[in-house]
Amino acid sequence: MKRRTVLAAPLALPLAGSLTTALAGTAAAAPAAPAAPAGSAAAAKVRELLARLTLDEKISLLHQWQPAIPRLGMKAFRTGTEALHGLAWLGPATVFPQAIGLASTWNPELIREVGEAVGDEVRGLQHERPAGWGLNVWAPTVNLLRDPRWGRNEEGYSEDPYLTGVISTAYAGGLTGGDPDNLKTAPLVKHYLANNNEVRRDQTSSDLRPRVLKEYEEPAYRAAISADAACGVMTAYNLVNGRPCTVTDLNASVRTWTDRSLLNVTDAWAPNNLPATGSQKYFGTLAEADAAILKAGVDSFTTDDTDGGPTTAAVKEALAKGLLTEADVDTAVRHILDIRARLGDFDADGGPYGHLDKSVIDSPAHRKLARRTAAEAVVLLKNDRGALPLDARKLRKVAVVGPLADTLYTDWYSGSLPYAITPLRGITDRLGAGAEVTTGEGVDRVALKNAATGRYVTAGRGDEGAALAEGATTAGETEQFDVFGWGEGVVTLRAVANGKVVGLRDGRFYNDQEQPNGWFVSQLFRPEEQDDGTVVLRYAGYENWFGDAVYLRAREDGVLVLGTAADASRYTLETLRDGIDEAVAAARAADTAIVVVGSMPFINARETDDREDMGLAGTQSALVRAVLAANPKTVVVVENSYPTTLTWEQEHVPALVWTTHAGQETGRALADVLFGDVNPAGRLTQTWYRSAAGLPPILEYDNIKYERTYQYFTGDVLYPFGHGLSYTTFRYGRPRLLRDAVAVPVTNTGSRAGAEVVQLYTRQRDSRVKQPLKKLQAFAKVTLRPGETRTVTLPLPRAALAHWDVTRERWVVERSTYDVLVGASSGDIRARAELDVDGETVPPRDLRRTTRAENFDDYAGVRLVDESKPRGTAVGAESAGAWLLFADADLRRGARRLVARVAKESPGAATLEVRLDAPDGPLAGEAAVRSTGSRYAYEEVTAVLRGATGRRDVYLVPGEGVRIADFSLS
């Protein structure tokens, strides 16, 4: 279809299409609620308390664990209840799908319901107020999933800022209860800003050129804040453009997105990274650091666990030295009190939500919601020749096999499962007595026999297990272990004696854990085969303080402890049960085989640990291949938290299903989808690549230059962003371009009712700069009966077509033809239209005006760096051959003089060249740059220019070590 429409309406561009709707594809977002009136009861209470608090009392409120102040009737208050996908760390509570699973529903209304349920459960503990509980919840996580290898992929929503903003606004809005004046909980978004790598996360700097910051990163955080659905941010551990996020100026960014008070907090222990004794060494002392944190717009210090003493002392020292004023303290305390007042913390009855109690936790309604959400998050990746859904009436024998077939795993930010419906149980219950279900985990059962002594490694019985020791001379039940492979040679050992996992504790190894867990995961081993056919066991836990003593050895009393490779005990590995053979036998005898594989969230990737391998574990891949060879009617369920390179599986397996770790109702939800009781409607929120080979290094944050995500990636992908199949089919009609919207008829052409996620993308054909190949602008999830047609109207406001113009530092909609693309995914476009927009033509650069160096068009060999500690971004040359491009500059009749503000910390002289047309093009001028002695000491340098006339591409070529803040050519 081809239709041309011209838009020439006036333009207002606050955020370049990040979120002009709170719920995509439905209604426009409600206008931001105004700040509480100055005469409101909450505001009056804040003024009263602030006036009556002593300075010492005010300072005490700046720490995460705020003490009670009985004389003013103020109870103790704590920031930071974890609520990423349910109430966490405080005992059994409803566990919903991981965050990426929530987003995979593409259903903001449903996610708002989930947020409401989680908010109720957080409130449910208010009358007990256990340690670790509070009404300021640290969720949602909105870090963009630009690199699928990120260890915390499970915690985010999407690689797309718009989708992330829609889902986070829905979840946070549910957590608040929807009334910003009367908060059920006070959620904050984390981790601000550009935190998408775990490797050296407190020391690496994310380079964000202005377009990446404005068009990609900021919208994800801005959405929930500007909608008054979130009440603040948590700053990230990393640096951005050379400045720690802990002291990034929130007053100039986050606080401008709403008129309401925000409660901003640091990440745990992050303040202690800043002084000379910490990892970042950005300030000399903690007093300097804490002063900078407060001045940057952070209100609460999350550090030193429950001990507020170091923070209190540092703030008092900063006041004494004039680094802070009492007004600075008052500002932070006012924000804290405002949130507490809106939570009803100063009301005798706890406010509108004060009646909620523990009865809401894991309620029947929440169980039902958990099942519905888990089912709606399931993504059907492949379905060849109608392999799914399964017909329960025709099945007499089903094999459900695999290492995740009969277990549910939780992650670091999960609650404790109140109960566990595993895939095996869910499928068995769905089939009922009419069919036989066989199973097998597909893992080997082994015994470890010391090759020198002939004694077997023995575990303990009972829930507590025992310290592993060599003792028995035969392999009975206590000498048997199931070996689970998780990839990269890492395994876990589960003792048959009590079904518990083996891990290190107090220098010995105990079989006493339900699953791998803990901040330092201690249940990991790496068997290493020796030349003589024996194996030694290398301890592969997260602890890194054992040096070379990481091998298991038996002491004289037989107890296993750590030692060096030279001391390691050598074992003969006796396979008592071949896991793949067992699974194959079950599959061969079955009508259908269902293989459940995937990840263990504490092992394969998580906070502090990025992924290196994007494929299935080798043992799991071998299991899938063997089962498929035994039974061609094989369905593979992949249960993990991130894109996986399922290239072989996509080519050979008839049906592939993906789910994240989906909580207590995982098994029933999977059964609902596999047997067609629920038509799959989940969609991928990330690009799934065929391999990691096409990805840039994880620390490269420039999506535009390095062509990350569906917006810029030009290679062949396994599954595109937005992909997901259904048991029915949909036909798209001809789209109509309306004012600020697109209408498209969608018809269910199949025999089943089903939900389609109608996705709207745009592509700008002509631009001064590199534009996305596609950009998600809106979506709508619509459920249609067989044969039903519905016209879906998707918003497309003019502002959504804007990008950040670095030449004038503002948003711009360019005059261009825009392709309007509607379809089932970014790779499955079903209907098109053309939109002619009478926008601006970006004029040539005027370099006579002072130009910020960071506003380049292209670059090589440079890093974005902190111009000063409080604010500003400069550009630093990392090596010889560095350059910056300022394209299409109108030099008119000739520029005769360069003026640049530069710094050079290292000794010795360097130069700053001006070249034309190419980095090695004609030399127009050269300025001498001497050492300024400090990276923050800038001085003005000049150069005479020759031949700099007309419209030219201008290149600045700085010598190694030179930092450029700004420049002009006149």
Side-chain angles (χ1 to χ4, degrees), residues 569-631:
S569 297
R570 295 194 173 203
Y571 294 102
T572 300
L573 193 66
E574 297 180 0
T575 301
L576 307 177
R577 182 192 68 193
D578 187 301
I580 289 181
D581 285 351
E582 180 187 55
V584 164
R588 186 177 288 119
D591 299 324
T592 293
I594 301 169
V595 187
V596 189
V597 293
S599 69
M600 200 287 135
F602 280 84
I603 296 175
N604 293 104
R606 54 155 284 182
E607 187 170 358
T608 73
D609 187 45
D610 292 319
R611 274 197 303 165
E612 296 181 9
D613 186 345
M614 291 176 59
L616 286 177
T619 53
Q620 295 184 18
S621 180
L623 172 67
V624 169
R625 296 178 189 226
V627 170
L628 179 62
N631 189 335

Side-chain angles (χ1 to χ4, degrees), residues 371-385:
R371 179 175 180 174
R372 176 187 165 201
T373 307
E376 198 161 334
V378 171
V379 180
L380 180 60
L381 298 173
K382 178 185 179 183
N383 193 23
D384 194 16
R385 300 179 183 177

